[in-house]
Amino acid sequence: MNRLEIRAYRNEDLPLLEDLVYQLHEQLRRFDAYLPPANEIIDGYVVYLLGTSTATSGTFFVAEADDRIVGYLCLFGLVSPPEPDQYPDKYAAVADIYVLPEYQDRGIGGALMQSAEDCSPRCYWRTPVNSVSPIMVL
């Protein structure tokens, strides 16, 4: 793998981003048969991710390696807790993170997560004390 660059999403990344979101969704369908096929939701879901990250003062990162986009992370900023028994402060949340299978186990996911943490002054990152976040390995 040549040089890895984590950078902010740009509008010209949209076709490549849609392909990555599509691939993630199709992989998730292996674990949840009730998810609709990616081709039925991709346009609306990508609009949702981009719109919500903007509306919540979040951000969207892409990972570039070997002259192509190989992963992404969508961070929602200033979201409210979904449950009434959770800590009431707004917080940042990773909505999606994905790295192409052939680029996994190379530190790209970790670099994307580090970029999300590094924007914490802007995105109000907080790790809940009594929270467990499941991690799914595809």
Side-chain angles (χ1 to χ4, degrees):
M1 175 176 76
N2 290 332
R3 186 176 149 265
L4 173 66
E5 179 185 2
I6 306 297
R7 63 168 176 78
Y9 165 84
R10 297 187 294 244
N11 289 336
E12 60 264 23
D13 298 329
L14 183 59
L16 299 170
L17 175 65
E18 287 176 330
D19 184 53
L20 291 174
V21 173
Y22 183 97
Q23 290 183 55
L24 170 61
H25 191 78
E26 283 301 302
Q27 288 188 23
L28 290 175
R29 288 187 71 226
R30 294 186 311 185
F31 303 101
D32 186 350
Y34 294 104
L35 286 175
N39 63 332
E40 292 179 11
I41 58 93
I42 190 70
D43 294 333
Y45 187 64
V46 170
V47 167
Y48 163 75
L49 288 175
L50 292 169
T52 303
S53 68
T54 299
T56 61
S57 300
T59 191
F60 220 107
F61 294 106
V62 296
E64 282 188 317
D66 299 330
D67 299 317
R68 64 189 278 214
I69 295 176
V70 299
Y72 74 94
L73 182 144
C74 177
L75 181 70
F76 292 169
L78 295 178
V79 295
S80 297
E83 305 292 332
D85 64 344
Q86 293 178 339
Y87 198 76
D89 289 349
K90 291 185 176 183
Y91 58 92
V94 174
D96 269 7
I97 182 172
Y98 181 68
V99 176
L100 289 171
E102 62 268 30
Y103 285 87
Q104 292 176 7
D105 297 321
R106 298 182 189 192
I108 297 171
L112 285 163
M113 288 297 292
Q114 186 62 54
S115 294
E117 286 191 55
D118 289 347
C119 84
S120 62
R122 218 167 30 93
C123 297
Y124 307 99
W125 184 274
R126 180 175 71 78
T127 303
V129 175
N130 296 336
S131 177
V132 177
S133 298
I135 296 175
M136 181 182 300
V137 178
L138 302 176

